[in-house]
Amino acid sequence: MHVAYSWVRDDAGLAWLTVVAVPSSDFMGDLGRNVLHTVLVALLAVVVAILLGVYIGTWILADIARLSSAAKRIGRGQFDVPLHIGRRDEIGQLAAALENMQAELGTDRLTGLSNRTALEGHLQRVILSPPAAVEFALLFIDLNGFKAINDTYGHEVGDLVLVEVAGRLRDTVRSSDLVARLGGDEFVIVLWRTGNAAQVAQVRDKLERHLGAPLATLREHVGERQVRVGAAVGVAIYPQDGDSIEGLLKHADKGMYRDKQRHKAYAQESS
C-alpha cells in the first residue's frame, strides 16, 4: 500500500486529517511489469552477446592457431601444410598469402616442379609415418648431353629444354607421384606405394622412351629436328636400399652413375 496524508483546516476552525491509501498494484503494476521485462530482455541480450563473442573469438583464435602452426611447420621445411581457411577478412588474406608462400618456397621457379626442400619434406614425413603406410621407389635422373645443348645453343634455350623435360617427366608418372628438380639437370621421381622392381622397371623404360624423343624446343627455336637428350637413371627402393633420405639418394646416385657409364660405353662402341 502507498499512503499519503494532509491536514486540512476549514473556516470554522476545524482541522481535518485526510488520508489516502492506494494499493501499489493500482498504479505500479504495469510499470513493474515493464521494468521486469526490460531487465529480462537486457539480461538475455547480454547473455547472447557474451555467447556470440565467445563463439566468434573461438572461431578467430582457432584460425589464428592454425596459421601459427602452419607457419611453424613451413619454417621446418614442410611446404604442403593444408589450411582450408575460406575467410574474406584479414585472416583469410593472411592464409592466402601463407599458401602462396608455401607454393613459392616448395617450387622450382624454372620448371614448376617441386624443389629439393619440398622433396626432402615429403620423404621425411613418409619415412616417419607408420611402416604400413610406407612403400615407395625413388628414381634419380641425370640428363645426358644437356651440357652440350647448353654450350651450343645458350642458356636460354637450355632453360627451355629443362622445362620441356620437366613436362615429359610429369607425363611419364601418375598425378599422385612426386617429380622434383634437385638443381641443374638433375631430377628425382618418387613413385608412391611402388616397391615392386618390375613396376619400377616399366616406369624406367617409359621414362627413357619419353626422354629419348627429339626435343620440340630445339625444333621450334633453332630449327634442329633430331636433337635428343637422354638420361641416366638410378633407382632406390625404400626401405631395402636405405632407411633415410640421404641413404636413398646416395644409393640412387650410385645407380645413376653406373647407368651413365653404361651409356658412355655404348656410345663409344657405336662410334
Side-chain angles (χ1 to χ4, degrees):
M1 299 290 291
H2 286 261
V3 179
Y5 69 91
S6 176
W7 287 98
V8 180
R9 296 181 182 274
D10 58 14
D11 295 338
L14 297 175
W16 300 82
L17 176 62
T18 58
V19 179
V20 178
V22 180
S24 298
S25 59
D26 286 358
F27 66 94
M28 293 289 291
D30 293 339
L31 180 60
R33 284 192 295 272
N34 290 336
V35 171
L36 180 61
H37 289 166
T38 302
V39 171
L40 292 177
V41 170
L43 289 176
L44 180 61
V46 170
V47 171
V48 170
I50 291 174
L51 293 177
L52 186 61
V54 170
Y55 172 76
I56 294 176
T58 303
W59 178 48
I60 293 175
L61 291 176
D63 285 342
I64 292 176
R66 289 168 62 188
L67 287 174
S68 176
S69 176
K72 291 179 181 178
R73 293 169 65 184
I74 292 171
R76 294 194 295 266
Q78 300 180 18
F79 299 138
D80 60 344
V81 182
L83 290 175
H84 306 303
I85 298 178
R87 302 169 57 128
R88 302 190 176 213
D89 56 5
E90 288 78 2
I91 294 178
Q93 295 173 4
L94 181 60
L98 198 59
E99 289 177 336
N100 291 335
M101 184 177 70
Q102 287 187 77
E104 290 180 3
L105 291 175
T107 302
D108 177 64
R109 291 181 179 271
L110 176 62
T111 63
L113 300 176
S114 297
N115 59 20
R116 186 186 189 103
T117 304
L119 169 69
E120 292 178 350
H122 281 287
L123 293 177
Q124 188 67 20
R125 282 190 298 281
V126 173
I127 290 174
L128 294 178
S129 65
V134 174
E135 184 182 30
F136 65 87
L138 184 147
L139 281 66
F140 194 106
I141 302 161
D142 184 83
L143 301 183
N144 294 329
F146 176 74
K147 185 177 184 301
I149 293 174
N150 224 12
D151 293 342
T152 303
Y153 303 105
H155 291 288
E156 291 185 2
V157 173
D159 287 346
L160 294 175
V161 169
L162 291 176
V163 173
E164 182 178 352
V165 168
R168 293 187 182 187
L169 294 180
R170 277 194 296 259
D171 293 339
T172 302
V173 298
R174 301 165 298 186
S175 59
S176 58
D177 294 326
L178 176 64
V179 183
R181 181 189 177 208
L182 295 187
D185 60 347
E186 293 182 340
F187 299 84
V188 166
I189 292 177
V190 180
L191 305 174
W192 301 120
R193 300 188 180 280
T194 302
N196 185 285
Q199 292 177 330
V200 176
Q202 290 179 355
V203 174
R204 182 171 180 168
D205 292 342
K206 183 179 178 182
L207 181 66
E208 291 180 348
R209 289 197 305 271
H210 280 200
L211 292 181
L215 292 167
T217 298
L218 292 179
R219 183 178 67 248
E220 295 172 2
H221 291 273
V222 296
E224 294 284 354
R225 296 181 176 274
Q226 297 301 322
V227 177
R228 294 172 170 82
V229 59
V233 182
V235 178
I237 298 177
Y238 179 85
Q240 53 263 42
D241 294 331
D243 58 0
S244 66
I245 298 174
E246 294 78 9
L248 290 169
L249 289 174
K250 185 176 181 180
H251 183 91
D253 182 63
K254 288 181 178 179
M256 180 273 297
Y257 180 76
R258 290 193 298 269
D259 193 40
K260 187 175 284 290
Q261 294 299 110
R262 180 178 63 84
H263 280 287
K264 288 182 179 180
Y266 178 78
Q268 290 175 356
E269 292 176 0
S270 300
S271 60

